[in-house]
Amino acid sequence: MTAPEPSRAGVRLRPEIAALPPYRQGRPAPADGYKLSSNENPFDPLPSVASAVASTGATVNRYPDATALALRERLGARFGVTADEVLVGAGSVALLAAFIQAAAAPGDEVVYSWRSFEAYPGLVTVSGATSVQVPNRPDHGHDLDAMAAAINERTRVAIVCSPNNPTGVVVTAAEFEAFMAKVPSDLLVLLDEAYIEFVDREGPGSVDEAVDGRTLLGRYPNLVILRTFSKAYGLAGLRVGYAIGPVPILDAARATVIPLSVTAASSAAAIASLEPAAEAELLDRVGVIAARRDGVRAALIAQGWPIPQAQGNFIWLPSGEATAEVAERLFDAGLVTRAFAPDGIRISIGEPESVETLLTILSELVPASQEGRPA
């Protein structure tokens, strides 16, 4: 066997890791601008949540509960499962990494839709497995039939993201159940629901047929759902997410996670966010963001932009080959966005003051091929 070539650092590294670009955050927003690149919640933390975080300051010399038991018990009671059927991690992305590493090894494959969450390819590469990326449908949603067809004897994990990040399109309950009927019962399926709270199930643009992992618990021995407190609950800076699924699968992931990665402050903030009064206020904020999102989408469609269904706290601008140019124009106007050249730009829904600037700049950049098209 040929030994790996030494890297430029002078030590032998896995070549696929040396070639893997590290995650890079978007550029910081100018002092008078707006950061619309990270899907952060624009509202300040609730006072009760901030107080819960502060209360942990006196014990930072001690390790946190490695299992986050108190939070798992709260989540278990909410979802009608035991605490052992809940796994808490440092954001849902850390849990995704744990499940992929638990199931996939060199020679194995992980299938997911593309374009989808930008972390998926790197997580698969780190595990040693191979990504199988199935192109999105023309409407920017998952093609679950094609994903099912891509599964073979080497496939160990399938990831479904709903609402899809960065395109915003949901998977319907019927589509997901048809997919689960096609895949092998020993294939791990991860349903990534990081933005589930933003799905509009009642308003004029509602998608009440969207899949909801809560309704699937206990039905599939190979399914795990993943959610996070980062987005709807505004705890992005504390990194706390959770997974719910069968105990044997969660135990395998527990063996791969970095111990003690969920801090006491993270657990305290999440528990405080689940208090009825706090959660009601947080979900009211979610409603404000979702309404703002729908208004932005409608305005951009009226301009001529072909904006797909938007059910996260962001919209997808399919700017194609003009992606870099459009992103730079927005940046010059004080708006930092997330560009995925040559496909499009994900634009988070942020402060209301950012909307007018966003719509003004994009009105000047509508592709000629889209002008005058019906919505």
Side-chain angles (χ1 to χ4, degrees):
M1 180 180 294
T2 304
E5 290 295 323
S7 72
R8 282 178 288 183
V11 299
R12 298 183 188 277
L13 302 174
R14 288 169 55 191
E16 68 273 23
I17 300 300
L20 184 67
Y23 177 82
R24 300 188 190 281
Q25 286 184 298
R27 293 179 287 186
D32 58 348
Y34 300 94
K35 184 183 177 188
L36 308 179
S37 58
S38 298
N39 291 348
E40 295 160 327
N41 192 312
F43 288 96
D44 293 336
L46 293 179
S48 62
V49 174
S51 177
V53 172
S55 70
T56 67
T59 58
V60 294
N61 58 310
R62 303 294 184 184
Y63 286 116
D65 172 7
T67 70
L69 177 61
L71 177 55
R72 289 191 295 116
E73 288 177 337
R74 290 292 295 270
L75 290 168
R78 160 163 303 209
F79 286 87
V81 299
T82 67
D84 287 341
E85 293 170 282
V86 182
L87 175 61
V88 175
S92 57
V93 68
L95 295 173
L96 282 163
F99 286 110
I100 292 170
Q101 291 180 25
D108 296 333
E109 295 180 352
V110 178
V111 63
Y112 51 88
S113 193
W114 196 252
R115 180 171 290 274
S116 193
F117 183 29
E118 62 187 294
Y120 295 159
L123 297 178
V124 174
T125 297
V126 169
S127 76
T130 300
S131 287
V132 176
Q133 299 178 344
V134 177
N136 288 333
R137 300 179 312 223
D139 69 352
H140 304 279
H142 282 32
D143 186 340
L144 290 183
D145 288 338
M147 283 182 61
I151 293 169
N152 58 46
E153 68 279 0
R154 296 183 300 278
T155 310
R156 294 295 177 268
V157 183
I159 308 173
V160 176
C161 185
S162 180
N164 186 43
N165 173 20
T167 65
V169 181
V170 299
V171 171
T172 70
E175 289 171 339
F176 189 79
E177 291 179 18
F179 176 74
M180 292 300 292
K182 294 177 182 177
V183 305
S185 60
D186 60 354
L187 174 72
L188 174 59
V189 178
L190 303 176
L191 178 56
D192 185 351
E193 296 186 308
Y195 299 92
I196 186 70
E197 293 88 356
F198 295 95
V199 174
D200 180 4
R201 297 181 184 274
E202 298 179 357
S206 64
V207 285
D208 57 0
E209 74 275 15
V211 67
D212 184 339
R214 292 176 300 181
T215 67
L216 304 174
L217 296 175
R219 290 179 53 187
Y220 301 103
N222 57 327
L223 174 65
V224 172
I225 68 169
L226 299 104
R227 296 188 176 188
T228 182
F229 285 92
S230 295
K231 314 302 182 184
Y233 292 85
L235 301 183
L238 288 173
R239 311 303 302 126
V240 54
Y242 59 98
I244 301 176
V247 173
I249 302 175
L250 267 58
D251 282 346
R254 287 186 178 100
T256 72
V257 297
I258 297 174
L260 301 161
S261 58
V262 178
T263 67
S266 301
S267 291
I271 291 171
S273 298
L274 294 174
E275 290 297 324
E279 186 171 35
E281 186 172 352
L282 289 168
L283 294 181
D284 282 345
R285 293 175 170 188
V286 167
V288 171
I289 295 169
R292 191 176 300 158
R293 170 202 69 202
D294 293 344
V296 169
R297 179 175 183 256
L300 291 176
I301 288 175
Q303 289 180 4
W305 286 100
I307 308 298
Q309 181 189 82
Q311 291 297 324
N313 63 342
F314 53 88
I315 59 103
W316 175 247
L317 190 77
S319 44
E321 297 296 334
T323 291
E325 175 190 352
V326 173
E328 200 62 30
R329 285 284 301 275
L330 291 169
F331 181 79
D332 290 343
L335 305 179
V336 180
T337 58
R338 194 71 163 176
F340 297 101
D343 297 327
I345 303 171
R346 189 190 67 197
I347 304 173
S348 306
I349 302 302
E351 295 78 358
E353 296 82 4
S354 67
V355 172
E356 182 177 355
T357 301
L358 175 69
L359 296 180
T360 298
I361 297 301
L362 291 181
S363 71
E364 302 168 358
L365 300 173
V366 181
S369 60
Q370 301 298 336
E371 291 179 350
R373 276 195 178 190

